Amino acid sequence: MTKVLLLLVAVCSLVHASPSLHHDGYGGGVIGIVSVAQRGWVSANSLWHIELGYSLIFYTDADNDTSSTSSTTTTDISYHYNIDPSSIFILPRIHKDDAFMLEGTVLVHDWGYAIFIPAVNEQQATQHATMRGYKFSPIKKETILVSLLSLSDNDGNDDAKNNIFTNDDNHVALELGLPPISKLVSLIDQSQWFADVSKLASYNRYSLGSGISSARSWIEQELARLPNLTVTIQEFPLRTSLGYNIIATMKGTTLPDEWVIMGAHYDSTSQSTSTAAPGAEDNGSGSAGLLQLARALSIEQAPRTAIFIWFSGEEQGLIGSIYNAKQIVANGDKAKVKLMHNMDMIGYTQNENTLRCLLETNSQWQSLFTTYRQAAATYAPNLVLATSTNAWGSDHEPYLKEGMPALLTIDYDWDKYPHYHRTTDLPQYLNQNIAAAILRMNVATLAAALGYIQ
């Protein structure tokens, strides 16, 4: 069975064609890949399509190959022939260098995803990926892996029923004399952020090494300078050693049993952890960003409780955040968590003129995208946002698995960063402008969540 499908590939399209297509017994077919930079319509006898940010991947059988078309709208399409679609897999949260080291063919790599055809059978490919710490899953047709998001368009989720926060927050904030969100946004200091990244990068923050304790002490010292915070250390098993989460809590005034958690991992890794693991981008950038949030949000106690957590053990498999999420559930506090916000790698861009950020959660909590979009439109209009509901590989994931609302912000180019997990991951390769834009969006969103004046 063949259906003709017209696919809109405008950069900020919020409308996704998802027809009910059923086709069994695929033979060898043709995979077409088109860049949305064409900003036009692509006509294809397509049996399914996958949307991945700036790329659209579509499949057609050999009898309906569209590559011979003379249409100017298809001249930039690349084709891969004689492909069995059951042989195509997705690897999320994978760096470009790691993707191309796997045995097989990478059709597309973008936004941290690889669309991949392994050179070995599925079992061997899965084992190969798993050994390297990557999730390996078959492709599903009509899938939106990453969707570009317009800051100006209404995405249909602005109604109150999709807002996890109450409409009475402004009244409470006014009664408490809290500063407006615009004041908190103005407190984001990108120069100080960069200085903090540089300080963190001076430590070897490998979770199983000795240097991370010095980094932990420095973060504690910085938190001790701030008002309204109570700092504790959460100890947890980490292989044959111990790991330590740093937790700073600002108790809410009128809604203390409603929590907004903000997190970033402060540990790092490299190809030679005994030599150095500076981790400026991964994740000194997010850890310094969390200090920025703490400095801005702690100036006045908010209605809701703010909890800032610096995790360790992330590079060993999200160990610190898994422990914290499970402790919340074990203590009966799951319902208190109104939002968990995670920052991982927020300081790199390949293009200084285009600042791009990915928002990631799961389908249950995708209404959160609206809140972040609105904050970006107001306070960081230069940010290009994309969204994904395929959560994987960072410290928001354990909270989502436990049923708590959680979202990750991460820079678009993290998966192309040439110093990823290297001893050369140093501050000089980072960009203050993208970090500042992401942090302005984040502090506005989180201030609203805590009950500050909108």
Side-chain angles (χ1 to χ4, degrees):
M1 179 180 77
T2 301
K3 292 190 177 183
V4 177
L5 180 64
L6 291 177
L7 302 176
L8 179 62
V9 292
V11 167
C12 289
S13 171
L14 298 174
V15 180
H16 309 288
S18 297
S20 299
L21 300 179
H22 303 281
H23 190 82
D24 297 318
Y26 287 107
V30 181
I31 291 290
I33 304 168
V34 62
S35 169
V36 298
Q38 290 179 238
R39 300 181 182 230
W41 291 86
V42 174
S43 176
N45 293 323
S46 175
L47 300 175
W48 55 255
H49 68 276
I50 306 294
E51 183 177 337
L52 179 55
Y54 293 96
S55 299
L56 195 69
I57 304 101
F58 60 88
Y59 176 85
T60 182
D61 60 34
D63 293 336
N64 292 296
D65 177 8
T66 60
S67 62
S68 61
T69 178
S70 60
S71 170
T72 58
T73 61
T74 61
T75 55
D76 293 334
I77 300 177
S78 62
Y79 290 93
H80 301 265
Y81 294 89
N82 298 319
I83 293 176
D84 177 357
S86 66
S87 69
I88 304 173
F89 293 84
I90 300 171
L91 288 95
R93 193 72 72 243
I94 185 168
H95 191 271
K96 171 177 64 71
D97 294 344
D98 293 334
F100 284 93
M101 284 178 63
L102 296 173
E103 297 178 29
T105 302
V106 177
L107 297 177
V108 177
H109 180 271
D110 205 2
W111 291 100
Y113 288 85
I115 308 298
F116 178 74
I117 301 177
V120 293
N121 63 41
E122 180 179 349
Q123 182 178 2
Q124 291 173 312
T126 301
Q127 290 173 346
H128 192 183
T130 301
M131 284 191 298
R132 287 161 174 77
Y134 294 111
K135 183 179 178 182
F136 198 83
S137 58
I139 205 160
K140 295 179 181 179
K141 58 188 180 182
E142 280 73 66
T143 296
I144 300 172
L145 292 175
V146 173
S147 174
L148 295 169
L149 188 62
S150 169
L151 297 187
S152 58
D153 295 337
N154 188 314
D155 61 6
N157 288 324
D158 290 338
D159 49 293
K161 72 177 189 296
N162 284 317
N163 193 336
I164 64 172
F165 313 116
T166 70
N167 291 325
D168 295 327
D169 287 346
N170 275 355
H171 300 295
V172 174
L174 286 167
E175 291 173 3
L176 294 174
L178 293 177
I181 288 175
S182 58
K183 168 65 175 177
L184 302 178
V185 172
S186 72
L187 296 177
I188 295 299
D189 184 338
Q190 65 187 60
S191 296
Q192 186 179 40
W193 168 84
F194 187 78
D196 290 343
V197 172
S198 300
K199 183 66 175 180
L200 287 165
S202 71
Y203 302 112
N204 184 332
R205 305 191 314 280
Y206 180 55
S207 287
L208 302 174
S210 59
I212 193 170
S213 62
S214 298
R216 182 171 67 250
S217 296
W218 178 78
I219 293 172
E220 290 182 70
Q221 291 169 13
E222 291 301 301
L223 294 173
R225 303 173 190 270
L226 304 181
N228 301 314
L229 296 179
T230 301
V231 179
T232 58
I233 301 298
Q234 183 178 56
E235 183 179 287
F236 58 90
L238 181 58
R239 294 186 181 174
T240 59
S241 184
L242 293 173
Y244 303 92
N245 293 332
I246 308 165
I247 303 177
T249 302
M250 182 174 72
K251 188 174 181 180
T253 53
T254 59
L255 299 168
D257 288 334
E258 295 186 9
W259 298 354
V260 177
I261 299 174
M262 291 152 269
H265 74 90
Y266 71 102
D267 65 312
S268 58
T269 193
S270 73
Q271 86 283 12
S272 180
T273 54
S274 61
T275 303
E281 162 75 332
D282 187 14
N283 184 37
S285 63
S287 293
L290 191 56
L291 277 171
Q292 285 286 302
L293 297 185
R295 291 186 182 112
L297 294 170
S298 64
I299 60 172
E300 294 284 350
Q301 285 180 273
R304 295 186 178 89
T305 293
I307 302 175
F308 307 88
I309 308 178
W310 286 260
F311 302 106
S312 66
E314 193 270 357
E315 299 292 3
Q316 288 68 45
L318 315 181
I319 306 301
S321 54
I322 289 172
Y323 185 85
N324 183 263
K326 288 187 177 297
Q327 285 296 111
I328 289 173
V329 174
N331 293 337
D333 292 328
K334 174 181 170 179
K336 295 180 181 179
V337 178
K338 302 306 176 185
L339 175 63
M340 188 278 168
H341 169 88
N342 180 33
M343 290 184 291
D344 195 351
M345 304 179 70
I346 63 167
Y348 178 68
T349 180
Q350 286 187 318
N351 184 350
E352 293 187 4
N353 297 318
T354 306
L355 307 180
R356 297 178 284 193
C357 176
L358 176 66
L359 310 177
E360 182 182 284
T361 184
N362 62 18
S363 57
Q364 181 181 0
W365 302 108
Q366 61 185 316
S367 61
L368 289 170
F369 293 147
T370 297
T371 309
Y372 284 82
R373 178 182 61 77
Q374 291 171 336
T378 303
Y379 299 106
N382 55 335
L383 263 187
V384 175
L385 294 183
T387 64
S388 173
T389 56
N390 299 277
W392 169 255
S394 191
D395 289 311
H396 60 310
E397 186 185 3
Y399 298 87
L400 291 170
K401 285 185 174 180
E402 296 292 347
M404 291 175 268
L407 183 142
L408 166 72
T409 54
I410 185 170
D411 61 58
Y412 163 72
D413 286 324
W414 76 267
D415 59 336
K416 304 167 190 68
Y417 181 55
H419 307 284
Y420 176 72
H421 287 179
R422 310 295 293 178
T423 55
T424 54
D425 182 2
L426 298 170
Q428 63 254 38
Y429 301 115
L430 303 191
N431 183 285
Q432 295 185 38
N433 292 329
I434 187 169
I438 292 173
L439 287 170
R440 285 193 291 268
M441 171 186 69
N442 289 350
V443 76
T445 302
L446 296 162
L450 287 165
Y452 284 89
I453 302 170
Q454 300 190 54

PDB file of all heavy atoms in Angstrom, residues 169 172-173 176 178 251-258 301-305 450-452:
ATOM      1  N   ASP A 169      -0.871  32.962  42.295  1.00  0.00           N
ATOM      2  CA  ASP A 169       0.502  33.223  42.725  1.00  0.00           C
ATOM      3  C   ASP A 169       0.823  34.713  42.756  1.00  0.00           C
ATOM      4  O   ASP A 169       1.518  35.183  43.666  1.00  0.00           O
ATOM      5  CB  ASP A 169       1.498  32.511  41.803  1.00  0.00           C
ATOM      6  CG  ASP A 169       1.517  31.008  42.046  1.00  0.00           C
ATOM      7  OD1 ASP A 169       0.972  30.580  43.081  1.00  0.00           O
ATOM      8  OD2 ASP A 169       2.066  30.272  41.213  1.00  0.00           O
ATOM      9  N   VAL A 172      -0.476  36.355  45.934  1.00  0.00           N
ATOM     10  CA  VAL A 172       0.333  35.988  47.102  1.00  0.00           C
ATOM     11  C   VAL A 172       1.655  36.736  47.074  1.00  0.00           C
ATOM     12  O   VAL A 172       2.115  37.274  48.091  1.00  0.00           O
ATOM     13  CB  VAL A 172       0.570  34.462  47.129  1.00  0.00           C
ATOM     14  CG1 VAL A 172       1.537  34.096  48.256  1.00  0.00           C
ATOM     15  CG2 VAL A 172      -0.746  33.721  47.298  1.00  0.00           C
ATOM     16  N   ALA A 173       2.312  36.794  45.915  1.00  0.00           N
ATOM     17  CA  ALA A 173       3.602  37.463  45.787  1.00  0.00           C
ATOM     18  C   ALA A 173       3.493  38.941  46.124  1.00  0.00           C
ATOM     19  O   ALA A 173       4.369  39.510  46.787  1.00  0.00           O
ATOM     20  CB  ALA A 173       4.151  37.273  44.373  1.00  0.00           C
ATOM     21  N   LEU A 176       3.261  39.437  49.816  1.00  0.00           N
ATOM     22  CA  LEU A 176       4.528  39.189  50.497  1.00  0.00           C
ATOM     23  C   LEU A 176       5.594  40.233  50.147  1.00  0.00           C
ATOM     24  O   LEU A 176       6.683  40.216  50.713  1.00  0.00           O
ATOM     25  CB  LEU A 176       5.052  37.790  50.134  1.00  0.00           C
ATOM     26  CG  LEU A 176       4.208  36.608  50.621  1.00  0.00           C
ATOM     27  CD1 LEU A 176       4.771  35.311  50.058  1.00  0.00           C
ATOM     28  CD2 LEU A 176       4.187  36.556  52.147  1.00  0.00           C
ATOM     29  N   LEU A 178       7.226  40.512  47.279  1.00  0.00           N
ATOM     30  CA  LEU A 178       8.305  39.895  46.516  1.00  0.00           C
ATOM     31  C   LEU A 178       8.645  40.727  45.278  1.00  0.00           C
ATOM     32  O   LEU A 178       7.783  41.394  44.712  1.00  0.00           O
ATOM     33  CB  LEU A 178       7.910  38.479  46.086  1.00  0.00           C
ATOM     34  CG  LEU A 178       7.752  37.451  47.210  1.00  0.00           C
ATOM     35  CD1 LEU A 178       7.291  36.121  46.643  1.00  0.00           C
ATOM     36  CD2 LEU A 178       9.061  37.271  47.965  1.00  0.00           C
ATOM     37  N   LYS A 251      13.140  27.385  52.444  1.00  0.00           N
ATOM     38  CA  LYS A 251      11.780  26.977  52.795  1.00  0.00           C
ATOM     39  C   LYS A 251      10.765  28.012  52.337  1.00  0.00           C
ATOM     40  O   LYS A 251      10.959  29.228  52.500  1.00  0.00           O
ATOM     41  CB  LYS A 251      11.661  26.759  54.294  1.00  0.00           C
ATOM     42  CG  LYS A 251      10.336  26.138  54.717  1.00  0.00           C
ATOM     43  CD  LYS A 251      10.325  25.808  56.201  1.00  0.00           C
ATOM     44  CE  LYS A 251       9.007  25.153  56.600  1.00  0.00           C
ATOM     45  NZ  LYS A 251       8.967  24.812  58.050  1.00  0.00           N
ATOM     46  N   GLY A 252       9.679  27.545  51.752  1.00  0.00           N
ATOM     47  CA  GLY A 252       8.613  28.429  51.314  1.00  0.00           C
ATOM     48  C   GLY A 252       7.879  29.066  52.466  1.00  0.00           C
ATOM     49  O   GLY A 252       7.792  28.497  53.562  1.00  0.00           O
ATOM     50  N   THR A 253       7.317  30.236  52.222  1.00  0.00           N
ATOM     51  CA  THR A 253       6.648  30.978  53.290  1.00  0.00           C
ATOM     52  C   THR A 253       5.202  30.542  53.483  1.00  0.00           C
ATOM     53  O   THR A 253       4.764  30.283  54.608  1.00  0.00           O
ATOM     54  CB  THR A 253       6.693  32.485  52.990  1.00  0.00           C
ATOM     55  OG1 THR A 253       6.166  32.713  51.674  1.00  0.00           O
ATOM     56  CG2 THR A 253       8.115  32.997  53.065  1.00  0.00           C
ATOM     57  N   THR A 254       4.453  30.462  52.393  1.00  0.00           N
ATOM     58  CA  THR A 254       3.026  30.127  52.507  1.00  0.00           C
ATOM     59  C   THR A 254       2.692  28.750  51.953  1.00  0.00           C
ATOM     60  O   THR A 254       1.642  28.190  52.284  1.00  0.00           O
ATOM     61  CB  THR A 254       2.173  31.179  51.766  1.00  0.00           C
ATOM     62  OG1 THR A 254       2.560  31.213  50.390  1.00  0.00           O
ATOM     63  CG2 THR A 254       2.356  32.554  52.379  1.00  0.00           C
ATOM     64  N   LEU A 255       3.565  28.208  51.111  1.00  0.00           N
ATOM     65  CA  LEU A 255       3.341  26.882  50.535  1.00  0.00           C
ATOM     66  C   LEU A 255       4.608  26.031  50.694  1.00  0.00           C
ATOM     67  O   LEU A 255       5.188  25.545  49.724  1.00  0.00           O
ATOM     68  CB  LEU A 255       2.980  27.007  49.041  1.00  0.00           C
ATOM     69  CG  LEU A 255       1.714  27.792  48.701  1.00  0.00           C
ATOM     70  CD1 LEU A 255       1.644  28.087  47.201  1.00  0.00           C
ATOM     71  CD2 LEU A 255       0.474  27.015  49.145  1.00  0.00           C
ATOM     72  N   PRO A 256       5.035  25.816  51.929  1.00  0.00           N
ATOM     73  CA  PRO A 256       6.320  25.132  52.154  1.00  0.00           C
ATOM     74  C   PRO A 256       6.320  23.677  51.707  1.00  0.00           C
ATOM     75  O   PRO A 256       7.396  23.111  51.483  1.00  0.00           O
ATOM     76  CB  PRO A 256       6.520  25.259  53.661  1.00  0.00           C
ATOM     77  CG  PRO A 256       5.139  25.394  54.220  1.00  0.00           C
ATOM     78  CD  PRO A 256       4.389  26.189  53.204  1.00  0.00           C
ATOM     79  N   ASP A 257       5.155  23.069  51.588  1.00  0.00           N
ATOM     80  CA  ASP A 257       5.077  21.669  51.170  1.00  0.00           C
ATOM     81  C   ASP A 257       4.903  21.510  49.661  1.00  0.00           C
ATOM     82  O   ASP A 257       4.564  20.423  49.179  1.00  0.00           O
ATOM     83  CB  ASP A 257       3.938  20.958  51.899  1.00  0.00           C
ATOM     84  CG  ASP A 257       4.267  20.723  53.372  1.00  0.00           C
ATOM     85  OD1 ASP A 257       5.475  20.636  53.688  1.00  0.00           O
ATOM     86  OD2 ASP A 257       3.345  20.647  54.198  1.00  0.00           O
ATOM     87  N   GLU A 258       5.129  22.598  48.924  1.00  0.00           N
ATOM     88  CA  GLU A 258       5.198  22.522  47.466  1.00  0.00           C
ATOM     89  C   GLU A 258       6.629  22.874  47.067  1.00  0.00           C
ATOM     90  O   GLU A 258       7.099  23.976  47.359  1.00  0.00           O
ATOM     91  CB  GLU A 258       4.180  23.474  46.822  1.00  0.00           C
ATOM     92  CG  GLU A 258       2.747  23.085  47.119  1.00  0.00           C
ATOM     93  CD  GLU A 258       1.733  23.921  46.365  1.00  0.00           C
ATOM     94  OE1 GLU A 258       2.141  24.700  45.465  1.00  0.00           O
ATOM     95  OE2 GLU A 258       0.523  23.811  46.663  1.00  0.00           O
ATOM     96  N   GLN A 301      12.572  34.972  50.394  1.00  0.00           N
ATOM     97  CA  GLN A 301      11.884  33.680  50.464  1.00  0.00           C
ATOM     98  C   GLN A 301      10.595  33.729  49.648  1.00  0.00           C
ATOM     99  O   GLN A 301       9.807  34.676  49.773  1.00  0.00           O
ATOM    100  CB  GLN A 301      11.573  33.322  51.918  1.00  0.00           C
ATOM    101  CG  GLN A 301      12.795  32.870  52.699  1.00  0.00           C
ATOM    102  CD  GLN A 301      12.466  32.525  54.123  1.00  0.00           C
ATOM    103  OE1 GLN A 301      12.475  33.398  54.988  1.00  0.00           O
ATOM    104  NE2 GLN A 301      12.167  31.256  54.368  1.00  0.00           N
ATOM    105  N   ALA A 302      10.400  32.730  48.840  1.00  0.00           N
ATOM    106  CA  ALA A 302       9.232  32.649  47.965  1.00  0.00           C
ATOM    107  C   ALA A 302       8.120  31.856  48.639  1.00  0.00           C
ATOM    108  O   ALA A 302       8.347  31.190  49.658  1.00  0.00           O
ATOM    109  CB  ALA A 302       9.632  31.980  46.654  1.00  0.00           C
ATOM    110  N   PRO A 303       6.913  31.905  48.099  1.00  0.00           N
ATOM    111  CA  PRO A 303       5.830  31.101  48.666  1.00  0.00           C
ATOM    112  C   PRO A 303       6.151  29.604  48.710  1.00  0.00           C
ATOM    113  O   PRO A 303       5.916  28.940  49.713  1.00  0.00           O
ATOM    114  CB  PRO A 303       4.649  31.396  47.735  1.00  0.00           C
ATOM    115  CG  PRO A 303       4.928  32.774  47.230  1.00  0.00           C
ATOM    116  CD  PRO A 303       6.413  32.834  47.067  1.00  0.00           C
ATOM    117  N   ARG A 304       6.709  29.064  47.609  1.00  0.00           N
ATOM    118  CA  ARG A 304       7.042  27.635  47.559  1.00  0.00           C
ATOM    119  C   ARG A 304       8.495  27.416  47.989  1.00  0.00           C
ATOM    120  O   ARG A 304       9.314  28.312  47.939  1.00  0.00           O
ATOM    121  CB  ARG A 304       6.794  27.070  46.160  1.00  0.00           C
ATOM    122  CG  ARG A 304       5.338  27.089  45.758  1.00  0.00           C
ATOM    123  CD  ARG A 304       5.099  26.394  44.415  1.00  0.00           C
ATOM    124  NE  ARG A 304       3.664  26.398  44.117  1.00  0.00           N
ATOM    125  CZ  ARG A 304       3.029  27.368  43.469  1.00  0.00           C
ATOM    126  NH1 ARG A 304       3.712  28.405  43.017  1.00  0.00           N
ATOM    127  NH2 ARG A 304       1.730  27.310  43.276  1.00  0.00           N
ATOM    128  N   THR A 305       8.777  26.195  48.351  1.00  0.00           N
ATOM    129  CA  THR A 305      10.120  25.827  48.777  1.00  0.00           C
ATOM    130  C   THR A 305      11.020  25.599  47.567  1.00  0.00           C
ATOM    131  O   THR A 305      10.655  24.878  46.637  1.00  0.00           O
ATOM    132  CB  THR A 305      10.081  24.561  49.652  1.00  0.00           C
ATOM    133  OG1 THR A 305       9.403  24.864  50.879  1.00  0.00           O
ATOM    134  CG2 THR A 305      11.474  24.044  49.959  1.00  0.00           C
ATOM    135  N   LEU A 450       7.969  29.234  41.659  1.00  0.00           N
ATOM    136  CA  LEU A 450       8.086  29.455  43.103  1.00  0.00           C
ATOM    137  C   LEU A 450       7.052  30.435  43.636  1.00  0.00           C
ATOM    138  O   LEU A 450       6.833  30.519  44.847  1.00  0.00           O
ATOM    139  CB  LEU A 450       9.482  29.962  43.444  1.00  0.00           C
ATOM    140  CG  LEU A 450      10.601  28.923  43.355  1.00  0.00           C
ATOM    141  CD1 LEU A 450      11.961  29.598  43.351  1.00  0.00           C
ATOM    142  CD2 LEU A 450      10.496  27.937  44.516  1.00  0.00           C
ATOM    143  N   GLY A 451       6.404  31.187  42.720  1.00  0.00           N
ATOM    144  CA  GLY A 451       5.354  32.101  43.140  1.00  0.00           C
ATOM    145  C   GLY A 451       5.731  33.555  43.139  1.00  0.00           C
ATOM    146  O   GLY A 451       5.050  34.382  43.754  1.00  0.00           O
ATOM    147  N   TYR A 452       6.811  33.915  42.448  1.00  0.00           N
ATOM    148  CA  TYR A 452       7.171  35.325  42.312  1.00  0.00           C
ATOM    149  C   TYR A 452       6.180  36.014  41.355  1.00  0.00           C
ATOM    150  O   TYR A 452       5.446  35.365  40.600  1.00  0.00           O
ATOM    151  CB  TYR A 452       8.594  35.482  41.776  1.00  0.00           C
ATOM    152  CG  TYR A 452       9.663  35.206  42.803  1.00  0.00           C
ATOM    153  CD1 TYR A 452      10.165  33.926  42.980  1.00  0.00           C
ATOM    154  CD2 TYR A 452      10.172  36.229  43.596  1.00  0.00           C
ATOM    155  CE1 TYR A 452      11.162  33.666  43.923  1.00  0.00           C
ATOM    156  CE2 TYR A 452      11.158  35.991  44.530  1.00  0.00           C
ATOM    157  CZ  TYR A 452      11.645  34.710  44.691  1.00  0.00           C
ATOM    158  OH  TYR A 452      12.629  34.453  45.628  1.00  0.00           O
TER     159      TYR A 452
END
